[in-house]
Amino acid sequence: MPGKKRQKILIETKIQIIEMKLTTNKSDDCIADEFQIDRSTVSKIIRNKEKYLQMDSNVKKKARIQKSPFFLVEESLFKWIIAAKSANIPISFYILREKALFFYNKIKEEDIQIRNNFEASDGWIRNFLERYNLSSKNIHGESESVDKKLIEESKEFLKSLLSKYHPDDVYNADEAGLYFRLGPSRTICSRNESCKGTKKEKARITILLASNISGKKKLKPFIIHTSAVPRCLKYTNFNTLPVRYAANKSAWMTGELWLSWLKWFDSQLTKESLLLIDNCPAHVDSSHLKLKFLKIHCLPPNTTSLIQPMDAGIIKTFKSNYRKILVSHWVDNFDKKKNFELINIKQAIYFIDDAWSLIDEGTIRRCWRHTGILPDHFLNDLQIIPDSRIAKNDEFVSLIKKINSLNKDFDMDSEEYVECDLTCQTFEIPDDSEILTNVLAESDLIPKIEESIQEQEGEEPEPKLFSLKEGEEIVSHCLTFFEQFASVNSNEIKFIREVFKKCQSEGLKNLKQPTILNFVTRSYN
């Protein structure tokens, strides 16, 4: 049987396929039927959408992109530029030449076949920039101002897109870094300096927050820590935590964690929903996941600070709440004559849950409104009050003043303290070796290497593992304590009893079934 004839697809057609996928959210099967091509071909085109969308108009009539003799160098250099731009690193022609030569020499060291006598000349660099549709002004490191016309066009497009959904079914998600045990001290961390002080005080996590427009559905916070199993959580079933928990060596969001979170989010939905996200490098393409309900729309670059709801006040409100809870904890300890102690990740998790719970629907709705992306009928249906600014929290201000007076090392005001981790990195920027390794792996020139997460031991003491009998005594004492208060009702007491019954049932199942040998052994003792 003769093999299937290979079908040539113009780059122009590939771009049409990508645009259809982005604007209509049709399935790959539907698009394949419409263009009369294989579904696998559609999936491959979607996976490489960034490459095709950046094509110069001169090559769009071609059926394929001719690889240059130094394709591996170009791919590595392009990925490095994307990473450098994400980190706001200025780039000159000189730096490009040095990086290109670095990647070329590394490829030679790997004994991978590549043409000799590569010089990374000015002409080669200009042709490279043209092939990858890179702007020379960006290469020279000039700051990219926000295009007002693009902002307005984006707002109008989003209004049209959002109008197809119910306010309960449109979400925004964004990451933020959090120094979860940091006190308000300039000597430890300031906005313009790297953190100083002990490793414990610099402990950081990445936290992803997500909510819908109405504020009725706030997803569990997703936190990424450096330790897979911290000591304080050694005997904790992670499913009982009020957050989703993950770990890697840098506490950063990665493409793998992002895809895992998307699959979990999709599993929580019961009808088609839209998720707005920024262009963080960790937000990798998810088209291959075949999500059942979740549709994803990426906001245009350099616009998210103005049109992303999480950036419009939701994350700032969360951090303000978290810092208030943390400072209240320390002030309470001071009042009880306890020593000042830094919190562990378990305490931080419950503070995060409390801080997220304190954000009400009105605050979330006002932040969404402030972006200017909501259709007019949403504003009327949700009855959103125009003012979206965060009111100054007098209680928090007074708490900061009090702790500053109790501890001379604490000298930040409330605003500085809330924003002290604004520049905290939340995603991984790969180094030169990692970029080259990824390019070679994508070209099937070397095997892919799976990174293993190392469990890190914390410095806090290991928690006690309680037996079923000890737990019964503790719960009995707790119930006796709760029953003394008029604010506790019978339903709450009943709920606690029912929860403990579940623990008893699970604990008894885990006990080994006694055998006749147990009784024989006892009779001889």
Side-chain angles (χ1 to χ4, degrees):
M1 181 179 175
K4 188 176 180 180
K5 187 176 180 181
R6 188 175 183 131
Q7 183 179 356
K8 291 184 178 180
I9 305 174
L10 295 176
I11 294 172
E12 189 175 42
T13 305
K14 294 178 180 179
I15 292 173
Q16 291 174 2
I17 291 171
I18 293 166
E19 289 176 343
M20 178 177 289
K21 180 70 175 181
L22 294 176
T23 55
T24 66
N25 285 319
K26 288 185 177 180
S27 68
D28 290 0
D29 289 319
C30 291
I31 296 174
D33 291 340
E34 192 158 335
F35 284 87
Q36 296 184 341
I37 57 177
D38 291 338
R39 183 195 171 280
S40 60
T41 304
V42 173
S43 300
K44 186 175 180 180
I45 292 170
I46 300 300
R47 282 199 302 272
N48 294 285
K49 63 179 183 293
E50 291 184 6
K51 178 172 68 176
Y52 293 120
L53 291 175
Q54 292 170 347
M55 289 292 159
D56 190 277
S57 57
N58 295 327
V59 301
K60 290 184 180 178
K61 298 294 181 183
K62 298 179 181 179
R64 58 182 298 193
I65 306 166
Q66 188 67 36
K67 288 187 178 181
S68 79
F70 306 107
F71 171 74
L72 295 175
V73 175
E74 293 186 354
E75 281 292 292
S76 301
L77 188 58
F78 176 69
K79 289 179 182 291
W80 179 84
I81 290 171
I82 297 301
K85 287 179 67 178
S86 299
N88 295 319
I89 298 173
I91 308 170
S92 65
F93 267 48
Y94 173 78
I95 292 175
L96 280 184
R97 182 178 296 108
E98 292 298 308
K99 282 296 173 186
L101 290 170
F102 168 83
F103 288 126
Y104 174 76
N105 290 327
K106 283 291 184 182
I107 291 168
K108 295 282 283 186
E109 289 175 12
E110 295 286 338
D111 291 328
I112 293 170
Q113 187 174 2
I114 190 171
R115 183 184 289 184
N116 292 323
N117 303 320
F118 177 68
E119 297 179 355
S121 64
D122 287 350
W124 179 87
I125 292 175
R126 290 192 184 93
N127 290 334
F128 160 75
L129 297 177
E130 184 177 351
R131 280 193 290 273
Y132 284 79
N133 197 26
L134 294 169
S135 169
S136 61
K137 70 175 183 180
N138 294 343
I139 296 302
H140 285 292
E142 296 179 12
S143 60
E144 296 181 76
S145 59
V146 179
D147 188 336
K148 293 182 179 178
K149 183 179 178 183
L150 175 61
I151 291 291
E152 292 307 314
E153 288 176 352
S154 299
K155 287 182 178 180
E156 292 305 312
F157 174 80
L158 287 169
K159 285 181 180 179
S160 174
L161 179 63
L162 268 56
S163 64
K164 301 173 184 177
Y165 296 84
H166 189 276
D168 286 346
D169 303 321
V170 180
Y171 295 80
N172 175 224
D174 194 24
E175 297 89 352
L178 183 69
Y179 294 113
F180 66 88
R181 59 188 5 165
L182 183 66
S185 172
R186 291 187 185 87
T187 61
I188 299 174
C189 179
S190 72
R191 292 181 61 182
N192 300 318
E193 298 178 6
S194 59
C195 271
K196 303 173 185 178
T198 68
K199 182 179 180 180
K200 289 173 68 176
E201 289 163 335
K202 290 196 299 182
R204 61 175 295 281
I205 57 173
T206 292
I207 180 166
L208 182 144
L209 299 175
S211 172
N212 64 355
I213 294 175
S214 66
K216 294 178 180 178
K217 298 178 183 177
K218 293 186 294 182
L219 302 188
K220 264 188 177 184
F222 179 31
I223 71 169
I224 306 166
H225 187 36
T226 55
S227 177
V229 185
R231 281 179 181 265
C232 58
L233 294 173
K234 183 172 181 179
Y235 301 118
T236 301
N237 184 320
F238 282 33
N239 291 328
T240 65
L241 297 176
V243 301
R244 285 182 57 78
Y245 186 94
N248 57 46
K249 62 182 180 180
S250 303
W252 285 337
M253 176 63 79
T254 64
E256 183 181 1
L257 290 178
W258 171 249
L259 294 177
S260 173
W261 182 81
L262 287 178
K263 287 192 285 187
W264 169 81
F265 183 17
D266 186 62
S267 71
Q268 308 300 304
L269 299 172
T270 56
K271 58 181 177 177
E272 188 171 300
S273 301
L274 178 69
L275 174 65
L276 303 180
I277 58 171
D278 61 19
N279 61 333
C280 163
H283 295 169
V284 296
D285 178 51
S286 59
S287 57
H288 63 286
L289 293 182
K290 298 181 182 178
L291 300 174
K292 186 176 181 181
F293 297 109
L294 190 61
K295 308 298 178 184
I296 301 169
H297 178 76
C298 190
L299 301 171
N302 304 317
T303 64
T304 53
S305 61
L306 297 174
I307 63 175
Q308 178 162 238
M310 286 292 162
D311 285 339
I314 297 175
I315 288 178
K316 185 175 181 181
T317 304
F318 162 78
K319 286 191 175 184
S320 179
N321 290 342
Y322 180 86
R323 302 286 184 208
K324 177 183 173 183
I325 293 167
L326 181 57
V327 172
S328 297
H329 168 75
W330 283 329
V331 169
D332 185 54
N333 281 351
F334 276 122
D335 290 342
K336 293 177 180 177
K337 309 298 182 184
K338 293 183 180 179
N339 293 330
F340 173 80
E341 292 182 358
L342 296 168
I343 66 169
N344 59 35
I345 188 62
K346 186 174 185 179
Q347 290 171 297
I349 285 172
Y350 287 106
F351 289 175
I352 287 168
D353 179 49
D354 291 341
W356 188 227
S357 299
L358 285 171
I359 301 179
D360 58 27
E361 294 178 11
T363 299
I364 291 173
R365 293 179 182 186
R366 287 193 293 272
C367 291
W368 276 87
R369 184 194 187 282
H370 185 65
T371 62
I373 65 174
L374 296 184
D376 292 339
H377 67 276
F378 277 21
L379 303 178
N380 296 329
D381 294 344
L382 295 172
Q383 299 178 346
I384 302 174
I385 302 171
D387 185 15
S388 63
R389 290 172 297 180
I390 301 171
K392 193 171 183 180
N393 193 323
D394 293 333
E395 184 184 357
F396 184 37
V397 173
S398 63
L399 278 170
I400 291 292
K401 288 180 179 178
K402 182 170 183 179
I403 199 169
N404 287 350
S405 66
L406 293 170
N407 190 322
K408 63 180 181 180
D409 292 328
F410 292 162
D411 54 0
M412 282 186 184
D413 62 32
S414 58
E415 189 69 17
E416 287 177 304
Y417 188 34
V418 169
E419 298 186 350
C420 66
D421 43 24
L422 267 183
T423 57
C424 188
Q425 192 170 315
T426 59
F427 57 88
E428 182 175 10
I429 298 177
D431 61 26
D432 298 347
S433 298
E434 290 171 330
I435 289 172
L436 181 58
T437 299
N438 289 336
V439 169
L440 296 179
E442 287 170 2
S443 301
D444 296 324
L445 295 171
I446 61 171
K448 291 185 178 180
I449 301 174
E450 298 293 335
E451 179 188 1
S452 60
I453 299 173
Q454 299 295 324
E455 293 189 8
Q456 298 180 1
E457 292 291 342
E459 296 180 14
E460 63 268 1
E462 188 176 295
K464 176 180 170 59
L465 179 62
F466 292 99
S467 66
L468 199 58
K469 183 178 179 181
E470 289 173 318
E472 189 172 353
E473 292 175 359
I474 292 168
V475 172
S476 177
H477 286 308
C478 286
L479 287 172
T480 302
F481 173 73
F482 293 145
E483 288 166 352
Q484 299 175 52
F485 298 92
S487 57
V488 179
N489 60 49
S490 59
N491 289 331
E492 292 168 330
I493 296 293
K494 183 179 179 180
F495 176 75
I496 296 171
R497 291 185 183 278
E498 289 175 351
V499 169
F500 184 66
K501 285 179 182 177
K502 288 183 180 180
C503 298
Q504 282 181 310
S505 177
E506 184 177 334
L508 290 171
K509 285 179 182 177
N510 293 333
L511 293 176
K512 291 183 178 179
Q513 183 72 27
T515 66
I516 189 65
L517 292 176
N518 295 113
F519 297 100
V520 171
T521 303
R522 288 173 190 168
S523 64
Y524 281 102
N525 290 338

